[in-house]
Amino acid sequence: MLKQIIRNLLSGKKTISISQEDIASARAALAGLEELKTEIDSIYSRSIRIRQVDAGSCNACEWECTALTNPVYDVQRFGIDFVASPRHADMLLVTGPVSRQMELALRKTYDATPDPKFVVACGDCAVNGGIYNSSYAVAGGVSKILPVDLVIPGCPPSPQQIITALLAFLKQQHR
Ligand code: SF4
């Protein structure tokens, strides 16, 4: 590992170029998100607050959730935001398989969230335990512990997939 790091340092500075296709594809994705903003605003008047719970993930799903609030996706402008306490949340967004160490904490977080509330299983591990499902340290997907209202598959799902799934779900609840 150390040899590899030294080799990389000695081989000079490397930059990654972004193609015009990549830029065009990112712009197209953002244009789609602008349409979602109007729909979320009109339905929920900026009232959706999410408490994210890592129940034992590899952290890649958290990176995608974190990207929701970066300047590219900027999910707050769509009326969706994250909160630090389940007592302020409308929705629990759970990532990772539910490790046995986190099972009780997840139940307590659910109990602390006021009704009405939604539970989202975000990522393959949260949906059904994913690649960790057979581990002795894992209780399984979120639905083994809590009633799940929405599943978002992917390993990990992209920020746009997460937003799109949330919007479709919220629109369905509104009907
Ligand atoms: S779904 Fe994939 S990215 Fe998300 S926690 Fe599981 S292994 Fe990691």
Side-chain angles (χ1 to χ4, degrees):
M1 181 69 173
L2 186 59
K3 282 182 188 168
Q4 184 62 50
I5 292 172
I6 293 170
R7 253 199 308 272
N8 288 348
L9 288 173
L10 293 177
S11 67
K13 193 174 174 182
K14 289 191 175 66
T15 55
I16 300 170
S17 62
I18 299 174
S19 70
Q20 287 302 316
E21 288 77 28
D22 288 339
I23 293 170
S25 143
R27 284 188 178 150
L30 288 174
L33 292 181
E34 285 300 331
E35 289 173 19
L36 300 186
K37 170 181 168 25
T38 310
E39 294 190 66
I40 291 176
D41 279 356
S42 67
I43 294 173
Y44 286 96
S45 302
R46 301 175 181 274
S47 66
I48 297 301
R49 295 294 177 263
I50 300 173
R51 168 65 182 160
Q52 199 265 319
V53 183
D54 175 355
S57 88
C58 73
N59 268 160
C61 280
E62 280 69 50
W63 277 106
E64 301 305 319
C65 291
T66 302
L68 293 173
T69 58
N70 74 18
V72 175
Y73 293 98
D74 192 14
V75 77
Q76 285 101 338
R77 69 194 156 118
F78 303 138
I80 299 175
D81 204 358
F82 290 87
V83 290
S85 168
R87 298 189 193 285
H88 303 156
D90 306 298
M91 173 182 280
L92 295 181
L93 189 146
V94 187
T95 53
V98 183
S99 66
R100 298 198 187 280
Q101 292 282 9
M102 278 296 293
E103 186 177 339
L104 179 60
L106 182 59
R107 288 186 198 280
K108 285 186 173 179
T109 304
Y110 180 81
D111 291 343
T113 309
D115 290 321
K117 56 195 166 195
F118 302 119
V119 176
V120 180
C122 182
D124 286 351
C125 289
V127 172
N128 57 20
I131 58 174
Y132 303 108
N133 199 29
S134 56
S135 167
Y136 70 92
V138 164
V142 180
S143 62
K144 289 265 177 69
I145 312 299
L146 301 179
V148 171
D149 301 290
L150 170 67
V151 296
I152 306 178
C155 183
S158 69
Q160 195 180 359
Q161 286 173 318
I162 296 171
I163 294 173
T164 304
L166 287 176
L167 176 69
F169 172 74
L170 295 174
K171 279 175 69 178
Q172 192 183 41
Q173 294 302 312
H174 185 66
R175 285 196 184 115

